[in-house]
Amino acid sequence: MLNMDKEAIKELLEMEAVPVCNILGSLLGRNVKMTVSGVEETDTDGLAECLPHFNVVIEGRRTANGLTADQLLVFSKEDMVRLTNYIMGVPIDTDSPLDEIALSTLKEVASQCMTAAVAELNDFLGRDMGEFITRISAYDNTERVQDLTRVWGMGSPFVIVRLHYTIDGVVDSDAYILASQTMRQVLGIPVMEEMPMPAIQEHMGKPKEAVSVQEVAFPEFKYTPLQYDREQIGDDKKKLLDITLDVSVRIGSTVCSVKDVLSFKEGQVLVLDKQAGSPADVVANGELIGRGDVLVSGDHFGARIIEIMGKRE
């Protein structure tokens, strides 16, 4: 990857950092700063030397003009525990588990940040770029991260971006963006292919025509993070409590082949994996968080919670 490509990626991601800092500052009531400290190429084997061993990985994709770039956002697991402790109102140094609720909250916060960042970049570039999160996971090794990058192309280098971010009084650390090579095209950066050397017999001794060029200077992308006081959101972090989660109640499931599904008829009975009278699963953002009894409340079905899974004390 050419140095000009690295600088272009760095400048664009620095621009994205502006709305990300604003969103986080508004949600957390803290001053947030973020800088891109490096853009390089690496391969799967080189990841173990730079990534945190215990990590939280947000898997996502960027799309533009029919192109798709897979990417991973990698954070230190310890940093994410401190952040979720702060969000949940727990002392930040508490050794809390990254349970389903904590990961779902991080995913929602990350989604809001990415939406704002892509909107900023689309306005600047005049592109119709999209970005979405597919999964968030916590791992106790770097091997799983390496496995995720292997599907991007055996032996092909990919882009690694080092970010330094600070949330006053909560986290001061590094994070990483790993992205497939198509990230450059998705961002609108043309791939510079090496041109073939001319035949020596034809060009030996022939001077190259001078080309008149004009130096172009691009404005430096700078931002000044907004200052937020904790009093703006109160001790109960009301803005964070307004984050919405998809909650559903599942009474059971079954496995069918495609052939079975295509042969469904009206009146056909599906036998589920739950016994009659068993509690239903309460699911938030695809993660099991509790169980409840199904009941009727007026003209609607309801669920009375009887058990919470992985509740943070």
Side-chain angles (χ1 to χ4, degrees), residues 1-84:
M1 183 166 58
L2 300 178
N3 285 333
M4 62 185 297
D5 291 340
K6 296 178 184 179
E7 287 301 316
I9 292 174
K10 183 176 185 294
E11 293 287 355
L12 292 175
L13 294 181
E14 287 274 12
M15 177 177 288
E16 284 192 342
V18 178
V20 170
C21 290
N22 291 340
I23 289 290
L24 284 177
S26 178
L27 287 175
L28 303 177
R30 295 281 178 140
N31 188 33
V32 180
K33 298 178 182 178
M34 183 179 297
T35 59
V36 179
S37 52
V39 178
E40 298 295 337
E41 279 186 323
T42 188
D43 55 22
T44 298
D45 295 334
L47 291 179
E49 301 177 1
C50 60
L51 296 183
H53 185 79
F54 300 95
N55 53 70
V56 171
V57 179
I58 300 176
E59 301 176 45
R61 289 190 176 96
R62 287 186 185 233
T63 59
N65 298 333
L67 295 171
T68 299
D70 293 300
Q71 66 177 23
L72 306 175
L73 278 72
V74 183
F75 301 87
S76 164
K77 190 175 181 180
E78 179 183 358
D79 295 337
M80 293 300 98
V81 169
R82 291 172 64 86
L83 180 56
T84 53

Coordinates of all heavy atoms in Angstrom, one line a residue, residues 1-84:
M1 N 0.9 -1.2 0.0 CA 0.0 0.0 0.0 C 0.9 1.2 0.0 O 1.8 1.4 0.8 CB -0.9 0.0 1.2 CG -1.9 1.2 1.3 SD -3.2 0.9 2.5 CE -2.2 0.7 4.0
L2 N 0.6 2.2 -0.9 CA 1.4 3.4 -1.0 C 1.2 4.3 0.2 O 0.1 4.3 0.8 CB 1.0 4.1 -2.3 CG 1.2 3.3 -3.6 CD1 0.8 4.1 -4.8 CD2 2.7 2.9 -3.8
N3 N 2.2 5.1 0.4 CA 2.1 6.1 1.5 C 0.9 7.1 1.3 O 0.3 7.5 2.3 CB 3.4 6.9 1.6 CG 4.5 6.1 2.3 OD1 4.2 5.1 3.0 ND2 5.7 6.4 1.9
M4 N 0.6 7.4 0.1 CA -0.5 8.3 -0.2 C -1.8 7.7 0.2 O -2.7 8.3 0.6 CB -0.5 8.8 -1.7 CG -0.7 7.7 -2.7 SD -0.5 8.3 -4.4 CE -1.9 9.4 -4.5
D5 N -1.9 6.3 0.0 CA -3.1 5.6 0.4 C -3.3 5.7 1.9 O -4.4 5.9 2.5 CB -3.1 4.2 -0.1 CG -3.2 4.1 -1.6 OD1 -3.7 5.1 -2.2 OD2 -2.8 3.0 -2.2
K6 N -2.2 5.4 2.6 CA -2.2 5.4 4.1 C -2.6 6.8 4.6 O -3.4 6.9 5.5 CB -0.8 5.1 4.6 CG -0.4 3.7 4.3 CD 1.0 3.4 4.9 CE 1.6 2.0 4.5 NZ 2.9 1.8 5.0
E7 N -2.1 7.8 4.0 CA -2.4 9.2 4.5 C -3.9 9.5 4.2 O -4.5 10.2 5.0 CB -1.5 10.2 3.8 CG -0.1 10.2 4.3 CD 0.0 10.5 5.8 OE1 -0.7 11.4 6.3 OE2 0.7 9.8 6.5
A8 N -4.4 9.1 3.0 CA -5.8 9.3 2.7 C -6.7 8.6 3.7 O -7.7 9.2 4.1 CB -6.1 8.8 1.3
I9 N -6.4 7.3 4.0 CA -7.2 6.6 5.0 C -7.2 7.3 6.3 O -8.2 7.5 7.0 CB -6.7 5.1 5.1 CG1 -7.0 4.4 3.8 CG2 -7.4 4.4 6.2 CD1 -6.4 3.0 3.7
K10 N -6.0 7.7 6.7 CA -5.8 8.4 8.0 C -6.6 9.7 8.1 O -7.3 9.9 9.1 CB -4.3 8.7 8.2 CG -4.0 9.3 9.6 CD -2.5 9.5 9.8 CE -2.1 10.0 11.1 NZ -2.6 11.4 11.4
E11 N -6.6 10.5 7.0 CA -7.3 11.7 7.0 C -8.9 11.5 7.1 O -9.6 12.2 7.8 CB -7.0 12.5 5.8 CG -5.6 13.0 5.7 CD -5.3 14.2 6.7 OE1 -6.3 14.7 7.3 OE2 -4.2 14.6 6.8
L12 N -9.3 10.5 6.3 CA -10.8 10.2 6.3 C -11.2 9.7 7.7 O -12.3 10.0 8.2 CB -11.1 9.2 5.2 CG -10.9 9.7 3.8 CD1 -11.1 8.6 2.8 CD2 -11.9 10.9 3.5
L13 N -10.4 8.8 8.3 CA -10.8 8.3 9.6 C -10.7 9.4 10.7 O -11.5 9.4 11.7 CB -10.0 7.1 10.0 CG -10.2 5.9 9.1 CD1 -9.3 4.7 9.5 CD2 -11.6 5.4 9.0
E14 N -9.8 10.3 10.5 CA -9.7 11.4 11.5 C -11.0 12.2 11.4 O -11.5 12.7 12.4 CB -8.5 12.3 11.1 CG -7.2 11.7 11.5 CD -6.8 12.0 13.0 OE1 -7.6 12.4 13.7 OE2 -5.6 11.7 13.3
M15 N -11.5 12.4 10.1 CA -12.8 13.1 10.0 C -13.9 12.4 10.6 O -14.8 13.0 11.3 CB -13.0 13.3 8.5 CG -14.4 14.0 8.2 SD -14.7 14.3 6.4 CE -13.5 15.6 6.1
E16 N -13.9 11.1 10.5 CA -15.0 10.3 11.2 C -14.9 10.4 12.7 O -15.9 10.2 13.4 CB -14.8 8.8 10.8 CG -15.3 8.5 9.4 CD -15.5 7.0 9.2 OE1 -14.9 6.2 9.9 OE2 -16.2 6.6 8.2
A17 N -13.7 10.6 13.2 CA -13.6 10.7 14.7 C -14.4 11.8 15.3 O -14.7 11.8 16.5 CB -12.1 10.8 15.0
V18 N -14.6 12.9 14.5 CA -15.3 14.1 15.0 C -16.7 13.7 15.5 O -17.0 13.9 16.7 CB -15.4 15.2 14.0 CG1 -16.1 16.4 14.6 CG2 -14.0 15.6 13.6
P19 N -17.6 13.1 14.7 CA -18.9 12.8 15.2 C -18.9 11.7 16.2 O -19.8 11.6 17.1 CB -19.7 12.4 13.9 CG -18.7 12.0 13.0 CD -17.5 12.9 13.2
V20 N -17.9 10.8 16.1 CA -17.8 9.7 17.2 C -17.6 10.3 18.5 O -18.2 9.9 19.5 CB -16.7 8.7 16.8 CG1 -16.4 7.7 17.9 CG2 -17.1 7.9 15.5
C21 N -16.6 11.3 18.6 CA -16.4 11.9 19.9 C -17.6 12.7 20.4 O -17.9 12.7 21.6 CB -15.2 12.9 19.7 SG -13.6 12.0 19.5
N22 N -18.3 13.3 19.5 CA -19.5 14.1 19.9 C -20.6 13.2 20.4 O -21.2 13.5 21.4 CB -20.0 14.9 18.7 CG -19.1 16.0 18.3 OD1 -18.2 16.4 19.1 ND2 -19.2 16.5 17.1
I23 N -20.8 12.0 19.8 CA -21.8 11.1 20.2 C -21.5 10.5 21.6 O -22.3 10.5 22.5 CB -22.0 10.0 19.2 CG1 -22.7 10.5 17.9 CG2 -22.8 8.8 19.8 CD1 -24.1 10.9 18.1
L24 N -20.2 10.1 21.7 CA -19.8 9.5 23.0 C -19.8 10.5 24.1 O -20.2 10.3 25.2 CB -18.4 8.9 22.9 CG -18.3 7.6 22.2 CD1 -16.8 7.2 22.0 CD2 -19.1 6.5 22.9
G25 N -19.4 11.7 23.8 CA -19.4 12.8 24.8 C -20.8 13.1 25.3 O -21.0 13.3 26.5
S26 N -21.7 13.1 24.3 CA -23.1 13.4 24.7 C -23.7 12.3 25.5 O -24.4 12.5 26.5 CB -24.0 13.6 23.4 OG -25.3 13.8 23.7
L27 N -23.4 11.0 25.2 CA -24.0 9.9 25.9 C -23.4 9.7 27.3 O -24.1 9.4 28.3 CB -23.8 8.6 25.1 CG -24.6 8.4 23.9 CD1 -24.1 7.1 23.2 CD2 -26.1 8.3 24.2
L28 N -22.1 9.9 27.4 CA -21.4 9.6 28.6 C -21.2 10.9 29.6 O -20.9 10.7 30.7 CB -20.0 9.1 28.3 CG -20.0 7.8 27.5 CD1 -18.5 7.4 27.2 CD2 -20.7 6.7 28.2
G29 N -21.4 12.1 29.0 CA -21.2 13.2 29.8 C -19.7 13.4 30.2 O -19.4 14.0 31.2
R30 N -18.8 13.0 29.3 CA -17.4 13.1 29.5 C -16.7 13.7 28.3 O -17.2 13.5 27.2 CB -16.8 11.7 29.9 CG -17.3 11.1 31.2 CD -16.6 11.7 32.3 NE -17.0 11.2 33.6 CZ -16.2 10.9 34.6 NH1 -14.9 11.1 34.5 NH2 -16.7 10.5 35.8
N31 N -15.6 14.3 28.5 CA -14.8 14.8 27.3 C -14.2 13.6 26.6 O -13.5 12.8 27.3 CB -13.7 15.8 27.8 CG -13.1 16.4 26.6 OD1 -13.7 16.7 25.6 ND2 -11.8 16.7 26.8
V32 N -14.3 13.5 25.3 CA -13.8 12.3 24.6 C -12.9 12.8 23.5 O -13.2 13.8 22.7 CB -15.0 11.5 23.9 CG1 -14.4 10.3 23.1 CG2 -15.9 11.0 25.0
K33 N -11.7 12.2 23.3 CA -10.8 12.6 22.3 C -10.4 11.3 21.6 O -10.3 10.2 22.2 CB -9.5 13.2 22.9 CG -9.8 14.5 23.6 CD -8.5 15.1 24.2 CE -8.8 16.4 24.9 NZ -7.5 16.9 25.5
M34 N -10.1 11.4 20.3 CA -9.7 10.2 19.5 C -8.8 10.7 18.3 O -9.1 11.7 17.7 CB -11.0 9.5 18.9 CG -10.7 8.2 18.1 SD -12.2 7.5 17.5 CE -13.0 7.1 19.1
T35 N -7.7 10.0 18.1 CA -6.8 10.3 17.0 C -6.4 9.0 16.3 O -6.4 7.9 17.0 CB -5.5 11.0 17.5 OG1 -4.9 10.2 18.5 CG2 -5.9 12.3 18.2
V36 N -6.1 9.1 15.1 CA -5.6 8.0 14.3 C -4.0 8.0 14.4 O -3.4 9.0 13.8 CB -6.0 8.0 12.8 CG1 -5.4 6.8 12.1 CG2 -7.5 8.0 12.8
S37 N -3.4 7.1 15.1 CA -2.0 7.2 15.3 C -1.2 6.4 14.3 O 0.1 6.5 14.3 CB -1.6 6.7 16.7 OG -2.2 5.4 17.0
G38 N -1.8 5.6 13.5 CA -1.0 4.8 12.5 C -1.9 4.0 11.5 O -3.0 3.5 12.0
V39 N -1.5 3.9 10.3 CA -2.2 3.1 9.3 C -1.1 2.2 8.6 O -0.1 2.8 8.0 CB -2.9 3.9 8.2 CG1 -3.6 3.0 7.2 CG2 -4.0 4.8 8.9
E40 N -1.2 0.9 8.7 CA -0.2 0.0 8.1 C -0.9 -1.2 7.5 O -2.1 -1.3 7.5 CB 0.7 -0.5 9.2 CG 1.5 0.6 9.9 CD 2.5 1.3 9.0 OE1 2.9 0.7 8.0 OE2 2.9 2.4 9.4
E41 N -0.1 -2.0 6.8 CA -0.5 -3.3 6.3 C 0.1 -4.4 7.2 O 1.2 -4.2 7.7 CB -0.1 -3.5 4.9 CG -0.9 -2.8 3.8 CD -0.6 -3.2 2.4 OE1 0.7 -3.3 2.2 OE2 -1.4 -3.3 1.6
T42 N -0.6 -5.4 7.4 CA -0.1 -6.6 8.1 C -0.8 -7.8 7.6 O -1.7 -7.8 6.7 CB -0.3 -6.4 9.6 OG1 0.4 -7.5 10.3 CG2 -1.8 -6.5 10.0
D43 N -0.4 -9.0 8.1 CA -1.0 -10.2 7.8 C -1.5 -10.9 9.1 O -1.3 -10.4 10.2 CB -0.1 -11.2 7.0 CG 1.2 -11.4 7.8 OD1 1.3 -11.3 9.0 OD2 2.2 -11.8 7.1
T44 N -2.1 -12.0 8.9 CA -2.8 -12.7 10.1 C -1.7 -13.0 11.1 O -2.0 -12.9 12.3 CB -3.5 -14.0 9.6 OG1 -4.5 -13.6 8.7 CG2 -4.1 -14.7 10.8
D45 N -0.6 -13.5 10.7 CA 0.4 -13.9 11.7 C 0.9 -12.7 12.6 O 1.4 -12.9 13.7 CB 1.6 -14.6 11.0 CG 1.2 -15.9 10.4 OD1 0.2 -16.5 10.8 OD2 1.8 -16.3 9.4
G46 N 0.9 -11.5 12.0 CA 1.4 -10.4 12.7 C 0.5 -9.8 13.8 O 0.9 -8.9 14.5
L47 N -0.7 -10.3 13.8 CA -1.7 -9.7 14.7 C -1.4 -10.0 16.2 O -1.6 -9.2 17.1 CB -3.1 -10.2 14.4 CG -3.7 -9.8 13.1 CD1 -5.1 -10.4 12.9 CD2 -3.8 -8.3 13.1
A48 N -0.9 -11.2 16.5 CA -0.6 -11.6 17.9 C 0.3 -10.6 18.6 O 0.3 -10.4 19.8 CB -0.1 -13.0 18.0
E49 N 1.2 -9.9 17.8 CA 2.2 -9.0 18.4 C 1.6 -7.6 18.8 O 2.2 -6.9 19.6 CB 3.4 -8.8 17.4 CG 4.1 -10.1 17.0 CD 5.2 -9.9 16.0 OE1 5.4 -8.7 15.6 OE2 5.8 -10.9 15.6
C50 N 0.5 -7.3 18.2 CA 0.0 -5.9 18.4 C -1.4 -5.8 19.1 O -1.7 -4.8 19.7 CB -0.1 -5.1 17.1 SG -1.2 -5.8 15.8
L51 N -2.2 -6.9 19.0 CA -3.5 -6.8 19.5 C -3.5 -7.2 21.0 O -2.7 -8.0 21.4 CB -4.5 -7.7 18.8 CG -4.7 -7.4 17.3 CD1 -5.8 -8.4 16.8 CD2 -5.2 -6.0 17.1
P52 N -4.4 -6.7 21.8 CA -4.6 -7.1 23.2 C -5.0 -8.6 23.3 O -5.8 -9.0 22.5 CB -5.7 -6.2 23.8 CG -6.4 -5.7 22.6 CD -5.4 -5.6 21.5
H53 N -4.4 -9.3 24.2 CA -4.7 -10.8 24.3 C -6.2 -11.0 24.7 O -6.9 -11.8 24.0 CB -3.8 -11.4 25.3 CG -3.9 -12.9 25.4 ND1 -3.4 -13.8 24.5 CD2 -4.6 -13.7 26.3 CE1 -3.7 -15.0 24.8 NE2 -4.4 -15.0 25.9
F54 N -6.7 -10.3 25.7 CA -8.1 -10.3 26.1 C -8.8 -9.2 25.4 O -8.4 -8.0 25.6 CB -8.2 -10.2 27.6 CG -7.5 -11.3 28.3 CD1 -6.3 -11.2 28.8 CD2 -8.2 -12.6 28.5 CE1 -5.6 -12.2 29.5 CE2 -7.5 -13.6 29.2 CZ -6.2 -13.4 29.7
N55 N -9.7 -9.5 24.5 CA -10.2 -8.4 23.6 C -11.7 -8.5 23.4 O -12.3 -9.6 23.7 CB -9.5 -8.4 22.3 CG -9.5 -9.8 21.6 OD1 -10.6 -10.3 21.2 ND2 -8.4 -10.5 21.6
V56 N -12.3 -7.4 23.0 CA -13.7 -7.3 22.6 C -13.7 -7.0 21.1 O -13.0 -6.0 20.7 CB -14.5 -6.3 23.4 CG1 -15.9 -6.1 22.8 CG2 -14.6 -6.8 24.8
V57 N -14.4 -7.7 20.3 CA -14.3 -7.5 18.8 C -15.7 -7.2 18.3 O -16.7 -7.9 18.6 CB -13.8 -8.8 18.1 CG1 -13.8 -8.6 16.6 CG2 -12.4 -9.2 18.6
I58 N -15.8 -6.1 17.6 CA -17.1 -5.7 16.9 C -16.9 -6.0 15.4 O -16.0 -5.4 14.8 CB -17.4 -4.2 17.1 CG1 -17.5 -3.9 18.6 CG2 -18.6 -3.8 16.4 CD1 -17.8 -2.5 19.0
E59 N -17.6 -6.9 14.9 CA -17.6 -7.3 13.5 C -18.5 -6.4 12.7 O -19.7 -6.2 13.1 CB -17.9 -8.8 13.3 CG -17.0 -9.7 14.1 CD -17.4 -11.2 13.9 OE1 -17.7 -11.6 12.8 OE2 -17.4 -11.9 15.0
G60 N -18.1 -5.9 11.6 CA -19.0 -5.1 10.8 C -18.6 -5.1 9.3 O -17.6 -5.7 8.9
R61 N -19.3 -4.4 8.5 CA -19.1 -4.2 7.1 C -19.3 -2.8 6.6 O -20.3 -2.2 7.1 CB -19.9 -5.2 6.3 CG -19.5 -6.6 6.4 CD -20.2 -7.5 5.4 NE -19.8 -8.9 5.4 CZ -20.4 -9.8 6.1 NH1 -21.5 -9.5 6.8 NH2 -20.0 -11.1 6.1
R62 N -18.5 -2.3 5.6 CA -18.8 -1.1 4.9 C -19.2 -1.4 3.5 O -18.6 -2.3 2.9 CB -17.6 -0.2 5.0 CG -17.3 0.5 6.3 CD -16.2 1.5 6.1 NE -15.8 2.0 7.4 CZ -15.7 3.3 7.6 NH1 -16.0 4.2 6.7 NH2 -15.3 3.7 8.8
T63 N -20.1 -0.7 3.0 CA -20.6 -0.9 1.6 C -20.7 0.4 0.8 O -21.0 1.4 1.4 CB -22.0 -1.6 1.6 OG1 -22.9 -0.8 2.2 CG2 -21.9 -3.0 2.3
A64 N -20.4 0.3 -0.5 CA -20.5 1.5 -1.3 C -20.3 1.0 -2.8 O -19.4 0.2 -3.1 CB -19.4 2.5 -1.0
N65 N -21.3 1.4 -3.6 CA -21.2 1.2 -5.1 C -21.0 -0.3 -5.4 O -20.2 -0.7 -6.2 CB -20.0 1.9 -5.7 CG -20.2 3.4 -5.6 OD1 -21.3 3.9 -5.5 ND2 -19.1 4.2 -5.6
G66 N -21.7 -1.2 -4.6 CA -21.7 -2.6 -4.9 C -20.5 -3.3 -4.3 O -20.3 -4.5 -4.4
L67 N -19.6 -2.6 -3.6 CA -18.4 -3.1 -3.0 C -18.7 -3.3 -1.5 O -19.4 -2.6 -0.9 CB -17.2 -2.2 -3.1 CG -16.7 -2.0 -4.6 CD1 -15.6 -0.9 -4.6 CD2 -16.1 -3.3 -5.1
T68 N -18.0 -4.3 -0.9 CA -18.2 -4.6 0.5 C -16.8 -4.8 1.1 O -15.9 -5.5 0.6 CB -19.0 -5.9 0.8 OG1 -20.3 -5.7 0.2 CG2 -19.1 -6.2 2.3
A69 N -16.5 -4.1 2.3 CA -15.3 -4.3 3.0 C -15.6 -4.8 4.4 O -16.3 -4.1 5.2 CB -14.5 -2.9 3.0
D70 N -15.1 -6.0 4.7 CA -15.2 -6.5 6.1 C -14.3 -5.7 7.0 O -13.2 -5.4 6.6 CB -14.9 -8.0 6.1 CG -15.9 -8.8 5.4 OD1 -17.1 -8.7 5.8 OD2 -15.6 -9.5 4.4
Q71 N -14.7 -5.5 8.2 CA -13.8 -4.9 9.2 C -14.1 -5.4 10.6 O -15.2 -5.8 10.9 CB -14.0 -3.3 9.1 CG -15.3 -2.8 9.6 CD -15.4 -1.3 9.5 OE1 -14.6 -0.6 8.8 NE2 -16.3 -0.7 10.3
L72 N -13.1 -5.3 11.4 CA -13.2 -5.6 12.8 C -12.7 -4.4 13.6 O -11.7 -3.8 13.3 CB -12.3 -6.8 13.2 CG -12.5 -8.1 12.4 CD1 -11.5 -9.2 12.8 CD2 -13.9 -8.7 12.5
L73 N -13.4 -4.1 14.7 CA -12.9 -3.1 15.7 C -12.5 -3.9 16.9 O -13.4 -4.6 17.5 CB -14.0 -2.1 16.0 CG -14.2 -0.9 15.0 CD1 -14.9 -1.4 13.7 CD2 -15.1 0.1 15.6
V74 N -11.3 -3.8 17.3 CA -10.8 -4.6 18.4 C -10.4 -3.6 19.6 O -9.6 -2.7 19.4 CB -9.5 -5.4 18.0 CG1 -9.0 -6.3 19.1 CG2 -9.8 -6.2 16.7
F75 N -10.9 -3.9 20.8 CA -10.7 -3.2 22.0 C -10.1 -4.1 23.0 O -10.4 -5.3 23.0 CB -12.0 -2.5 22.5 CG -12.6 -1.6 21.5 CD1 -13.5 -2.1 20.6 CD2 -12.4 -0.2 21.5 CE1 -14.2 -1.2 19.7 CE2 -13.0 0.6 20.7 CZ -13.9 0.1 19.7
S76 N -9.4 -3.5 24.0 CA -9.0 -4.3 25.2 C -10.2 -4.6 26.0 O -11.1 -3.8 26.2 CB -8.0 -3.5 26.0 OG -7.9 -4.0 27.3
K77 N -10.3 -5.9 26.4 CA -11.4 -6.4 27.2 C -11.5 -5.6 28.5 O -12.6 -5.2 29.0 CB -11.3 -7.9 27.5 CG -12.5 -8.5 28.1 CD -12.4 -10.0 28.2 CE -13.6 -10.7 28.8 NZ -13.4 -12.2 28.9
E78 N -10.4 -5.3 29.1 CA -10.3 -4.6 30.4 C -10.9 -3.2 30.2 O -11.6 -2.7 31.0 CB -8.9 -4.5 30.8 CG -8.7 -3.7 32.1 CD -7.2 -3.6 32.6 OE1 -6.4 -4.1 31.9 OE2 -7.0 -2.9 33.6
D79 N -10.6 -2.5 29.1 CA -11.1 -1.2 28.8 C -12.6 -1.2 28.7 O -13.3 -0.3 29.1 CB -10.5 -0.6 27.5 CG -9.0 -0.4 27.7 OD1 -8.5 -0.2 28.8 OD2 -8.3 -0.3 26.6
M80 N -13.2 -2.2 28.0 CA -14.6 -2.3 27.8 C -15.3 -2.6 29.1 O -16.5 -2.2 29.3 CB -14.9 -3.4 26.7 CG -14.5 -3.0 25.3 SD -15.2 -1.4 24.7 CE -13.9 -0.2 25.1
V81 N -14.7 -3.4 30.0 CA -15.3 -3.6 31.3 C -15.4 -2.3 32.1 O -16.4 -2.0 32.7 CB -14.4 -4.6 32.1 CG1 -14.9 -4.7 33.6 CG2 -14.6 -6.0 31.5
R82 N -14.3 -1.5 32.0 CA -14.4 -0.2 32.7 C -15.5 0.7 32.1 O -16.2 1.4 32.8 CB -13.0 0.5 32.5 CG -11.9 -0.1 33.3 CD -10.5 0.5 33.0 NE -10.5 1.9 33.4 CZ -10.2 2.3 34.6 NH1 -9.9 1.4 35.5 NH2 -10.1 3.6 34.9
L83 N -15.6 0.7 30.7 CA -16.6 1.5 30.1 C -18.0 1.0 30.5 O -18.9 1.9 30.8 CB -16.5 1.5 28.6 CG -17.5 2.3 27.8 CD1 -17.5 3.7 28.2 CD2 -17.2 2.2 26.3
T84 N -18.3 -0.3 30.4 CA -19.6 -0.8 30.8 C -19.9 -0.6 32.3 O -21.1 -0.3 32.6 CB -19.8 -2.2 30.4 OG1 -18.7 -3.0 31.0 CG2 -19.8 -2.4 28.9

